[in-house]
């Protein structure tokens, strides 16, 4: 499909730079097939679903994945480098997007942070070697530390990787360390938050439980590829970056039991949806999953696992707006976004949310 079909104009004033407080006070636009979009709030969620439905949360935890360093090469005085880690490949190795990527080549050394020479990390710096160089500034970094030692160094030296539409307007600060993390974040590895999950509070989770709604956790480590624009003119020419995900046998069994009992699967976020659809058989059975997925969902996709999707409002021409258009229908989503803009909904990671009921295809 033509990418320009997924374009729309968004006033910059509607891009949220901070979340609302409390989290579940955010607005929620409810989109059902054949009905006009309806205004609600995230805290209304227990009454918008049915007892026996299951909400699927992504329990990935955001790591401080933006690193600043200095490339060294012989007697060269060096070049300042920013690296955004986006997928771990080994205990000592990360795939990253580097800026300026053109100034790096295989074998270069990069020192992140600052500190004396002679140690891999001395509370102030972390050294790595460029092991591979790919397209679009992507590199593979082999660090001098591995495992938990590397995790500790990244946690010390890295920054919260706010999306570019926020980071371009204000720096990350101490509030973001908490705001850009879900209350159920458990498994470290994401470089972007599963933002629909940012709206949940312990009180809301308790009320969902009291309403007879099951809660199931899966893990998809969101990569920095989620921020990359679609540069192709046709969706067939766009390549998704792979992300690691896991659905345990216990989680798969619970979800399949919900479906057998007549309940619906409610994906909280596009990340949970993409993982569930990657793991589903043609008949909708969800299999245990542990591996990478690069699934790219556009209109025409036959959804196997997910019946309802809660998701924030996405960028024009983005793979995520394509996904919601596949789920609820392109015309329905264009109308819903137009209404959200007209009524002043807040957009993107720290913004308001929507509850989409799957259109029949």
């Amino acid at each position: 499909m033509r990418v320009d079909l997924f374009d729309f104009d968004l006033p910059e004033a509607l891009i949220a730079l901070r979340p609302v407080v409390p989290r579940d006070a955010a607005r929620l636009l409810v989109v059902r097939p054949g009905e006009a979009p309806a205004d609600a709030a995230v805290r209304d969620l227990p009454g918008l679903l049915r007892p026996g439905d299951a909400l699927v949360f992504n329990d990935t935890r955001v790591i401080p994945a933006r690193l600043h360093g200095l490339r060294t090469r012989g007697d060269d005085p060096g070049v300042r480098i920013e690296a955004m880690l986006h997928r771990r490949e080994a205990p000592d190795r990360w795939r990253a997007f580097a800026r300026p990527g053109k100034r790096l080549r295989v074998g270069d050394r990069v020192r992140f942070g600052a500190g004396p020479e002679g140690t891999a990390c001395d509370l102030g710096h972390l050294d790595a070697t460029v092991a591979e160089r790919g397209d679009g500034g992507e590199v593979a970094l082999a660090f001098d530390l591995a495992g938990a030692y590397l995790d500790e160094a990244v946690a010390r030296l890295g920054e919260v990787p706010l999306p570019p539409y926020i980071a371009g307007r204000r720096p990350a600060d101490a509030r973001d360390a908490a705001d850009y993390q879900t209350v159920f974040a458990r498994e470290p590895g994401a470089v972007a938050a599963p933002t629909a999950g940012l709206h949940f509070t312990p009180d809301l989770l308790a009320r969902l439980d009291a309403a007879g709604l099951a809660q199931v956790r899966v893990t998809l480590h969101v990569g920095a590829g989620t921020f990359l624009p679609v540069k192709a003119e046709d969706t067939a020419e766009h390549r998704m970056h792979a992300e690691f995900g896991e659905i345990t046998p216990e989680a798969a069994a619970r979800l399949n039991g919900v479906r057998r009992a007549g309940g619906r699967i409610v994906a909280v976020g596009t990340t949970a949806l993409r993982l569930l659809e990657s793991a589903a058989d043609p008949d909708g059975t969800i299999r245990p999953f542990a591996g990478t997925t690069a699934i790219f969902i556009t209109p025409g996709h036959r959804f196997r696992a997910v019946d309802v999707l809660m998701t924030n409002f996405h960028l024009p021409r983005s793979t995520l707006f394509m996904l919601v258009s596949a789920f609820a229908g392109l015309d329905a989503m264009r109308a819903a976004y137009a209404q959200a803009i007209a009524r002043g909904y807040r957009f993107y990671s720290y913004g308001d949310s929507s509850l989409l009921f799957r259109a029949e295809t």
Side-chain angles (χ1 to χ4, degrees), residues 24 42-46 202-213:
D24 59 3
V42 170
R43 60 167 61 104
D44 300 327
L45 194 58
D203 175 70
L204 178 56
L205 293 174
R207 292 196 297 113
L208 290 166
D209 185 60
L213 296 156

Side-chain angles (χ1 to χ4, degrees), residues 54-73:
L55 291 99
V56 183
F57 298 101
N58 183 1
D59 66 3
T60 188
R61 186 171 186 83
V62 180
I63 63 172
R66 179 175 281 115
L67 296 170
H68 297 277
L70 185 70
R71 184 214 72 193
T72 59
R73 185 188 297 162

Side-chain angles (χ1 to χ4, degrees), residues 7-235:
D7 202 2
F8 58 89
D9 293 323
L10 178 72
E12 189 172 298
L14 295 183
I15 300 174
L17 300 184
R18 298 284 186 185
V20 298
V21 179
R23 295 182 182 214
D24 59 3
R27 301 169 73 182
L28 184 72
L29 189 67
V30 181
V31 181
R32 300 178 186 269
E35 299 181 14
D39 297 315
V42 170
R43 60 167 61 104
D44 300 327
L45 194 58
L48 296 170
L49 301 173
R50 300 193 300 243
D53 291 345
L55 291 99
V56 183
F57 298 101
N58 183 1
D59 66 3
T60 188
R61 186 171 186 83
V62 180
I63 63 172
R66 179 175 281 115
L67 296 170
H68 297 277
L70 185 70
R71 184 214 72 193
T72 59
R73 185 188 297 162
D75 295 330
D76 191 312
V79 174
R80 290 292 173 184
I81 297 292
E82 178 184 290
M84 172 72 85
L85 309 181
H86 76 88
R87 189 174 78 248
R88 194 169 201 152
E89 298 183 323
D92 65 341
R93 185 174 171 128
W94 275 87
R95 188 72 55 171
F97 293 112
R99 294 191 308 172
K102 293 180 179 179
R103 304 297 297 273
L104 292 176
R105 65 190 186 202
V106 174
D108 281 347
R109 296 282 288 172
V110 181
R111 168 157 290 183
F112 298 104
E117 298 286 345
T119 56
C121 181
D122 186 21
L123 300 181
H125 72 269
L126 171 66
D127 294 336
T129 301
V130 178
E132 293 180 26
R133 184 173 178 271
D135 297 329
E138 189 177 36
V139 297
L141 295 173
F143 289 92
D144 290 4
L145 297 177
Y149 297 104
L150 175 57
D151 296 342
E152 181 182 353
V154 170
R156 184 185 305 115
L157 299 174
E159 297 177 355
V160 175
L162 287 180
Y165 43 79
I166 297 176
R169 298 173 66 185
R170 68 165 180 84
D173 57 28
R175 283 183 57 185
D176 294 303
D179 287 344
Y180 202 56
Q181 204 79 261
T182 67
V183 296
F184 37 77
R186 185 182 64 184
E187 301 293 337
V191 302
T195 54
L198 295 178
H199 298 291
F200 288 81
T201 64
D203 175 70
L204 178 56
L205 293 174
R207 292 196 297 113
L208 290 166
D209 185 60
L213 296 156
Q215 300 175 32
V216 180
R217 307 286 197 267
V218 300
T219 304
L220 183 76
H221 292 318
V222 191
T226 190
F227 299 139
L228 295 181
V230 178
K231 296 180 179 179
E233 296 300 320
D234 192 280
T235 58

